Amino acid sequence: MTQSQFTPRVFSGIKPSGGLTLGNYLGAIKRFVGMQGAMETMYCVVDLHAITVWQDPKELSHATREVAAGYLAAGLDPSQSILFNQSRVSAHAELGWIFNCVARVGWMNRMTQFKDKAGSNAEKVSLGLYAYPSLMAADILLYHATQVPVGEDQKQHVELTRDIAAKFNHDYKTDFFPMTEPVIDGPATRVMNLRDGSKKMSKSGESDMERINMRDGAELIAKKFKKAKTDPEPLPDTLDGLKGRPEARNLVDIYAALSDTTSEAVITEYAGAGWGRFKPALADLAVDRLAPISDEMTRLMDDPAEIDRILADGAERARTIAEPILSRTYEIVGLLR
Ligand code: AQP
């Protein structure tokens, strides 16, 4: 198969390791919605990735439904996109094992996210956290996905997916797996922590004040932006003027992504403005965009059986794509079934 013969297909996912953040929304979900309809789209709640760090079982089930509710509330439509949770399709774990045997330890050792998450505690973290990127490669390649919309932090993992596909194809003298492209575009592919512009905004960051959660209310959003770290300078009149000002740049990028414009356009509008003017405008914009999604999430979470039904139905459809690809992989590897 040549690369152009793979059917265009989008796959991406979010792990239910806590409540969704503005980073997940702008870096992932909003872009997932933008790709829906243009080609086949599959969006997964990657629960097997969540358990690479400890998750309370009840909270994990709740967070899985909540990520699904976030997908639906933001505009993903189960009749247009396949929405499911990863653990319902056991082929992910099966292909993940095969890829553990393809990926090299040296490659894993270069993964910056593992280094960041393990920190000085690398001996004590789970083996799953270390192997996570090869399971992610399986998530993507199990569907021969050609495009993966992700935030900047996941770029290295998609590159590893390509390395795994290339090594598999080379070792088994085949062209079975595609060279998947990461899709990283727009002004907010790396939303930063509100208290430290050198760190990304994360679900599991230490303080709640460093992130905006999708389900934060209007008052809390305003408070978090008000207290967000900035510098004493007003906004410059060109984007270049934000060099060396990571916290200021972050707020401008968030504003741009929320208002579907560019960071340059935001700077043009707010040139010379102080934070006393910009921060309340940003908070109003965030509330305006997030409140309807959050309200809809609350409504959907009142009917967990319906969310489960949507995820089960999506898993059924995902399995019909996954099964022949997994079977052919077993055959190529020489495993008897
Ligand atoms: N701050 C961010 N800016 C832009 N994109 C982001 N994403 C996550 N944080 C940001 C994107 O959201 C998608 C799903 O990510 P994930 O939740 O599966 O994994 P993560 O990147 O490890 O997210 P967190 O919030 O940092 O989770 P924890 O704290 O539990 O590890 C991906 O496309 C990601 O790029």
Side-chain angles (χ1 to χ4, degrees):
M1 238 191 242
T2 63
Q3 289 301 311
S4 59
Q5 283 168 315
F6 289 99
T7 311
R9 181 176 288 143
V10 174
F11 176 94
S12 198
I14 294 186
K15 62 180 158 48
S17 47
L20 291 167
T21 68
L22 184 63
N24 295 132
Y25 176 61
L26 295 177
I29 301 177
K30 187 168 185 284
R31 297 169 54 232
F32 296 174
V33 177
M35 293 177 99
Q36 181 173 254
M39 65 189 94
E40 194 179 347
T41 42
M42 306 183 68
Y43 299 117
C44 190
V45 185
V46 284
D47 45 10
L48 294 175
H49 286 286
I51 59 166
T52 54
V53 300
W54 168 251
Q55 303 295 332
D56 174 86
K58 274 207 184 90
E59 281 170 25
L60 177 63
S61 309
H62 177 84
T64 301
R65 293 190 181 108
E66 198 171 62
V67 173
Y71 284 173
L72 294 163
L76 290 179
D77 173 353
S79 70
Q80 289 193 63
S81 292
I82 299 181
L83 308 179
F84 67 110
N85 61 306
Q86 183 190 26
S87 60
R88 274 201 165 99
V89 182
S90 57
H92 287 250
E94 293 180 68
L95 188 61
W97 178 256
I98 292 177
F99 287 168
N100 279 346
C101 302
V102 173
R104 306 288 93 181
V105 167
W107 301 356
M108 295 299 174
N109 287 341
R110 285 197 291 276
M111 294 298 111
T112 53
Q113 200 184 69
F114 176 76
K115 289 184 204 160
D116 290 348
K117 291 210 157 139
S120 55
N121 206 21
E123 294 285 313
K124 298 235 171 89
V125 298
S126 74
L127 185 56
L129 188 67
Y130 187 66
Y132 168 127
S134 76
L135 178 60
M136 177 165 157
D139 301 335
I140 296 166
L141 294 172
L142 184 58
Y143 303 102
H144 279 182
T146 54
Q147 294 177 54
V148 183
V150 280
E152 185 65 42
D153 60 314
Q154 292 292 341
K155 184 172 182 218
Q156 196 185 32
H157 292 163
V158 184
E159 282 164 359
L160 185 101
T161 299
R162 293 164 64 93
D163 291 341
I164 290 176
K167 183 161 167 54
F168 183 98
N169 288 350
H170 174 268
D171 290 355
Y172 292 102
K173 300 185 180 42
T174 178
D175 48 12
F176 187 58
F177 287 115
M179 289 297 121
T180 308
E181 295 289 340
V183 184
I184 302 170
D185 53 18
T189 53
R190 191 170 172 81
V191 177
M192 307 310 280
N193 178 320
L194 297 180
R195 290 305 183 88
D196 178 351
S198 70
K199 293 190 190 149
K200 77 160 191 149
M201 185 183 286
S202 269
K203 293 185 210 84
S204 53
E206 261 163 47
S207 156
D208 192 57
M209 291 302 285
E210 67 192 39
R211 62 180 164 264
I212 303 288
N213 303 300
M214 297 276 294
R215 302 190 74 189
D216 283 343
E219 261 177 46
L220 190 53
I221 290 178
K223 183 173 164 199
K224 285 180 176 178
F225 278 126
K226 189 170 175 205
K227 291 194 175 285
K229 184 179 167 195
T230 39
D231 52 44
E233 301 299 315
L235 282 167
D237 50 15
T238 64
L239 216 47
D240 263 2
L242 289 175
K243 278 207 180 110
R245 300 172 65 187
E247 287 86 8
R249 174 72 202 233
N250 187 38
L251 297 187
V252 168
D253 289 345
I254 292 175
Y255 192 105
L258 284 169
S259 54
D260 291 310
T261 179
T262 60
S263 303
E264 285 86 350
V266 177
I267 283 295
T268 306
E269 188 182 344
Y270 284 96
W275 296 110
R277 182 176 150 221
F278 187 75
K279 283 180 168 180
L282 175 59
D284 287 349
L285 175 65
V287 170
D288 187 62
R289 296 294 186 273
L290 296 184
I293 301 176
S294 172
D295 291 349
E296 178 62 5
M297 284 172 76
T298 305
R299 193 191 68 75
L300 290 163
M301 288 299 282
D302 277 346
D303 188 358
E306 175 59 7
I307 295 178
D308 292 359
R309 192 197 61 72
I310 291 169
L311 293 176
D313 176 66
E316 189 67 44
R317 289 153 66 204
R319 272 195 289 270
T320 62
I321 304 174
E323 269 161 18
I325 293 178
L326 184 68
S327 286
R328 179 69 192 126
T329 309
Y330 274 124
E331 219 169 71
I332 292 171
V333 174
L335 297 166
L336 301 178
R337 302 196 91 188

